[in-house]
Amino acid sequence: MAGNISDKLGHAFDIPLSNPVLIFALILFIILLSPILLRRIKIPGIIGLILSGVAIGPHGLNLLEQSSAVDLFSTIGLLYIMFIAGLELDMNEFRKTRHKSVAFGFLTFVIPIAIGYPVCYYILGYDVLASAMISSMFATHTLVSYPVVNSYGISKNEAVAITIGGTILTDTAVLIILAVIIGASQGQLNQEFWVTLGISFAIFLSIMLGVVPRIAKWFFQKVEGEKTAHYIFVLTVVFFAAFLAELAGLEHIIGAFVAGLALNKLIPHSSALMNRIEFIGNAIFIPFFLISVGMIVDVSVLLNGPAALIIAGTLTVVAIFSKWAAAWFTQLIYGYSSAQRQVIFGLSGAHAAATLAVIMVGYRYEIIDENVLNGTIVLILVTCIVATLATEAASKKVVLAGEQDEMPSEKNTAREEQLMLPIANLNNMESLLDFATLIKSKHSPHPITVLTVVPNNEMAEQNLKRARKNLDSTAKYASGSETEVNMMATIDYNIASGISRAAREVAADGILLGWPSRPGIIEKMVGEKTESILNQTDTNLFMCHVDKPLVLQKRIIVFCPPLAESELGFDFCMNKVLRLSQELTIPILYVCNGRTKDAISAYMEQNKSSTRVLFSEHSEWDDLVTLRNFVKDNDLVVFISARQGEVSYRHSFDGIAKKLGKVYAEQNRVLVFPSRRAAYSLDEYEDVAAAPIFQRIGRGIGNIFNKEKQH
């Protein structure tokens, strides 16, 4: 018996390992520990995983060998990297600076190839195809150091924007060249190849950018509640795109990249789906790919003689110098400062994901040799470190020059922002929480407060227990998108008073409510609940009706009545609309008068927003039905209203929620009440707002006297 156990243990630990469970456990252990340990000595996580692969691979300790399972996970990881690269590109930034981005993309593509090809062909002695592939690898770049510029608050600087835009162009161009080089290596570079490539590439793009987004929109709308199905659908699109690319005579990584571009607008960056995509990719697939790259590397080749070290050193020097030259020419053309040039170089100087993708394809087709593969690993290590250090130094200079996105103040609202979400109906809880996640500032460390108010009656304790159980289901849903929530259940004689008191306790900057339901006779007499909340709170209040998936929206239309810009909370509301536009990658149409247009334009310029904004001037605000002419079927309607007595309030705003609900019954809509200065009432014990019916009577009497005066 003991002998059998020892035999089993002995066979289980045979080198290389063959037990699939043990192999998977070892890889997970490496994925867990490698980045943690190497982060302490300032080595990027990507390098740590590659070095781990070198250690356990056939050329290291030989714990693992190249098997079909390793190849499968490696391919998935490679496709995942390229898919996320397309998915995370900021199309708003690209659109804003597209002309300069095109120029920089051209320079950062052409200069590395122009420098790299002669070096590879004449100095290193590689043939035409190998030289072309290596030099095209120099043209790619990965935005490894983007978190640095984000942390310094200069992510909206124009130098950053054009570098991000240039990434789209240069990576796409390199992937097309890759297809040509592969075709040439197979001896297929004739007239038929070019015709076939042109036609098949056009068909591929028309399917991916024309058909797939429509199918994705339909799927997300019809299968709204099945969150797992959304992720499986996205994976299906990625692998279908990779297969289509191969049918078109292209590399599968081009398909994955285009799949990311196709779904870019449909998956908001702060959504639960995006969180799942990044989480699973960063946790399993991408680390697996990086480890498999390390397993191919043969360190002994670097130690055999000076040739391999010379190649590694030459590749690294050319990669760094060519990207610096592209940044220098961009500075000359557009008159940027030296700090901005250094930011461009720092962001574009790191070679990682796309570089690995190109080199791995070249190695698989035997266009390049082991020396280039090993040299590329050294290049990735050095350029990632150099780019990060350069970006950090340049970011400090930009900040010192006073070119930060937002100037620090005594109270930075974005960093201290508190959002509160009172839940009355669990049916619209998910859509409200998703909406809150999209508009919440990414700088705020505070969780979203989810509140339930229970009436103070004989059933209060039982209702409180039931409310807390409901809050648990909300917390479970929030955890799926890694949205931090703070659960709060309280008892009050009046629901509106309970919400008002809780908002003061957490110092809420914004309250998100569901769209008010139709009131009964009693509510009409003593005051509707939402109207009571409005009267008893001073903070920004959003009433949301989000029945349809937000990915279906093609535009946000914002109705800004005259003097809305004078309200205390106007800037906060503008910030939320802009955040929503950026997350959904859709333009905004502001319907307003000239003065409000100037105020919005000044706000956009001050905050260096990349959102595409259109204006349509309107002067007739007493008849809100006329606004219907501006609205299209796929618009998200946002109306900036005001509390009674505020500077922008108009009589036509009376019962505004009911009016908008009738006219825009088929649209997603948000009714916004900007915050006001704290009201000082003579009777501080007054807790119930004046009933709307009496307000109307008083207003009607006032209008009669006004007409008499006019006559």
Side-chain angles (χ1 to χ4, degrees):
M1 184 74 176
N4 288 337
I5 294 172
S6 62
D7 286 344
K8 284 183 180 178
L9 284 173
H11 288 304
F13 291 100
D14 282 345
I15 303 297
L17 299 174
S18 57
N19 186 318
V21 177
L22 191 58
I23 290 171
F24 200 70
L26 174 64
I27 289 173
L28 290 179
F29 186 71
I30 291 169
I31 293 171
L32 173 67
L33 283 185
S34 176
I36 296 172
L37 296 176
L38 291 172
R39 198 179 296 129
R40 294 179 178 278
I41 53 176
K42 304 294 183 185
I43 293 180
I46 186 172
I47 299 299
L49 290 165
I50 292 173
L51 293 178
S52 300
V54 174
I56 66 169
H59 305 294
L61 300 174
N62 196 28
L63 296 178
L64 292 184
E65 60 182 353
Q66 289 293 133
S67 63
S68 57
V70 171
D71 289 340
L72 174 63
F73 272 90
S74 174
T75 303
I76 294 172
L78 178 58
L79 294 177
Y80 221 98
I81 283 177
M82 297 310 296
F83 170 64
I84 288 180
L87 194 63
E88 290 189 333
L89 290 171
D90 191 333
M91 292 302 181
N92 280 327
E93 290 289 346
F94 176 66
R95 203 175 284 114
K96 179 185 174 185
T97 58
R98 57 185 176 275
H99 301 302
K100 293 180 179 179
S101 292
V102 168
F104 171 70
F106 176 77
L107 290 172
T108 199
F109 173 72
V110 170
I111 291 174
I113 291 178
I115 296 172
Y117 183 85
V119 170
C120 294
Y121 188 75
Y122 293 108
I123 298 176
L124 298 181
Y126 284 103
D127 61 22
V128 173
L129 286 182
S131 299
M133 176 160 278
I134 298 167
S135 57
S136 69
M137 174 266 290
F138 291 140
T140 66
H141 60 255
T142 306
L143 301 170
V144 169
S145 54
Y146 181 76
V148 175
V149 299
N150 206 24
S151 66
Y152 275 90
I154 61 166
S155 58
K156 293 178 183 175
N157 192 286
E158 192 174 283
V160 177
I162 68 161
T163 311
I164 293 169
T167 304
I168 304 173
L169 300 169
T170 189
D171 282 2
T172 305
V174 167
L175 292 175
I176 293 171
I177 283 182
L178 181 63
V180 175
I181 294 171
I182 298 300
S185 71
Q186 305 296 306
Q188 300 169 348
L189 212 59
N190 48 32
Q191 186 177 355
E192 185 183 347
F193 169 83
W194 290 108
V195 172
T196 306
L197 180 66
I199 295 172
S200 59
F201 190 56
I203 294 172
F204 168 72
L205 286 181
S206 64
I207 292 172
M208 289 306 303
L209 300 179
V211 178
V212 168
R214 286 184 171 85
I215 295 173
K217 271 187 181 180
W218 175 85
F219 184 85
F220 290 149
Q221 182 180 13
K222 296 298 181 186
V223 195
E224 188 181 354
E226 296 292 328
K227 303 301 180 184
T228 307
H230 289 184
Y231 179 73
I232 299 300
F233 174 80
V234 168
L235 276 191
T236 305
V237 169
V238 174
F239 290 100
F240 172 72
F243 175 68
L244 267 187
E246 288 184 336
L247 285 182
L250 307 165
E251 271 303 304
H252 52 27
I253 58 175
I254 300 177
F257 182 71
V258 174
L261 294 178
L263 297 178
N264 187 291
K265 284 188 175 183
L266 301 177
I267 304 177
H269 290 184
S270 297
S271 64
L273 179 56
M274 187 66 162
N275 180 266
R276 289 185 182 98
I277 291 168
E278 289 183 334
F279 176 78
I280 296 174
N282 293 332
I284 302 290
F285 295 131
I286 294 173
F288 216 118
F289 165 68
L290 297 172
I291 290 171
S292 70
V293 170
M295 289 171 64
I296 300 169
V297 174
D298 188 355
V299 181
S300 63
V301 174
L302 289 172
L303 305 175
N304 284 343
L309 290 172
I310 289 170
I311 290 171
T314 305
L315 293 181
T316 305
V317 169
V318 170
I320 292 172
F321 177 73
S322 62
K323 288 296 181 182
W324 183 88
W328 184 71
F329 276 109
T330 306
Q331 179 197 7
L332 283 184
I333 294 170
Y334 294 113
Y336 290 138
S337 65
S338 59
Q340 287 177 304
R341 180 201 67 219
Q342 198 173 336
V343 166
I344 295 171
F345 165 65
L347 283 173
S348 63
H351 294 260
T355 305
L356 268 179
V358 171
I359 288 301
M360 288 299 292
V361 171
Y363 185 74
R364 194 171 74 239
Y365 281 95
E366 298 181 352
I367 297 172
I368 59 170
D369 58 19
E370 278 189 335
N371 285 333
V372 174
L373 178 64
N374 291 325
T376 303
I377 303 301
V378 174
L379 178 153
I380 290 170
L381 172 61
V382 174
T383 56
C384 284
I385 293 171
V386 168
T388 304
L389 294 175
T391 306
E392 190 156 355
S395 299
K396 288 178 182 175
K397 290 179 184 176
V398 171
V399 171
L400 288 173
E403 295 179 22
Q404 264 182 304
D405 297 340
E406 52 185 9
M407 297 302 291
S409 60
E410 288 183 19
K411 182 186 177 187
N412 190 326
T413 308
R415 294 191 184 278
E416 297 181 19
E417 180 182 284
Q418 293 266 18
L419 291 183
M420 195 174 81
L421 191 62
I423 296 288
N425 182 2
L426 282 178
N427 293 331
N428 62 9
M429 175 272 296
E430 292 186 5
S431 60
L432 271 178
L433 192 56
D434 287 342
F435 185 81
T437 305
L438 290 180
I439 67 170
K440 183 177 181 288
S441 168
K442 297 294 165 279
H443 299 294
S444 173
H446 303 296
I448 297 170
T449 300
V450 179
L451 170 72
T452 294
V453 181
V454 175
N456 192 358
N457 53 32
E458 64 277 2
M459 299 289 289
E461 288 188 17
Q462 292 181 21
N463 290 337
L464 194 61
K465 287 179 182 176
R466 193 178 299 116
R468 283 177 177 149
K469 193 174 286 185
N470 291 340
L471 287 177
D472 288 341
S473 66
T474 306
K476 190 175 180 181
Y477 177 79
S479 65
S481 60
E482 287 193 0
T483 303
E484 286 189 64
V485 290
N486 173 35
M487 298 304 167
M488 192 173 177
T490 186
I491 300 174
D492 204 291
Y493 286 105
N494 183 288
I495 301 293
S497 299
I499 293 173
S500 172
R501 177 168 48 80
R504 287 194 295 269
E505 284 176 12
V506 300
D509 297 290
I511 301 173
L512 277 74
L513 297 172
W515 198 262
S517 55
R518 186 172 294 177
I521 296 173
I522 301 298
E523 283 181 308
K524 284 182 179 177
M525 292 296 293
V526 301
E528 298 172 27
K529 183 170 65 178
T530 49
E531 194 160 340
S532 299
I533 296 169
L534 269 176
N535 290 331
Q536 294 182 46
T537 58
D538 299 319
T539 191
N540 300 286
L541 194 140
F542 300 78
M543 293 182 189
C544 312
H545 175 87
V546 191
D547 274 1
K548 298 177 182 176
L550 288 169
V551 294
L552 300 177
Q553 313 294 172
K554 290 186 177 177
R555 186 179 66 167
I556 299 174
I557 183 164
V558 184
F559 295 119
C560 290
L563 298 176
E565 71 279 4
S566 302
E567 298 291 349
L568 181 65
F570 182 75
D571 283 3
F572 183 88
C573 298
M574 287 298 98
N575 176 268
K576 295 304 146 198
V577 171
L578 288 174
R579 270 215 53 76
L580 192 60
S581 166
Q582 288 163 356
E583 288 288 344
L584 301 175
T585 322
I586 53 177
I588 304 173
L589 170 65
Y590 286 102
V591 179
C592 56
N593 65 13
R595 173 176 165 163
T596 307
K597 176 185 173 182
D598 293 341
I600 294 171
S601 300
Y603 178 85
M604 297 281 293
E605 189 175 338
Q606 181 185 352
N607 288 272
K608 300 176 184 175
S609 175
S610 59
T611 301
R612 184 165 165 249
V613 169
L614 305 167
F615 290 96
S616 188
E617 294 204 18
H618 185 69
S619 56
E620 184 52 57
W621 290 92
D622 290 325
D623 184 9
L624 300 182
V625 177
T626 58
L627 298 174
R628 187 71 182 86
N629 300 327
F630 293 100
V631 181
K632 296 179 181 177
D633 288 342
N634 291 315
D635 283 348
L636 168 61
V637 178
V638 178
F639 194 99
I640 310 292
S641 185
R643 291 169 169 86
Q644 191 174 357
E646 296 305 302
V647 66
S648 65
Y649 182 81
R650 309 172 78 86
H651 293 325
S652 56
F653 293 176
D654 187 32
I656 184 72
K658 184 180 177 183
K659 291 176 183 176
L660 294 180
K662 268 187 181 179
V663 179
Y664 307 108
E666 299 302 315
Q667 262 96 12
N668 283 336
R669 53 192 181 273
V670 181
L671 178 58
V672 182
F673 294 88
S675 64
R676 62 181 175 184
R677 288 162 187 84
Y680 295 96
S681 172
L682 290 174
D683 184 1
E684 297 200 0
Y685 297 99
E686 183 65 46
D687 199 32
V688 180
I693 192 167
F694 296 124
Q695 292 174 1
R696 292 194 190 100
I697 292 169
R699 197 177 299 133
I701 294 169
N703 288 339
I704 291 169
F705 284 114
N706 286 335
K707 285 177 184 175
E708 286 179 357
K709 282 180 183 177
Q710 288 170 2
H711 290 301

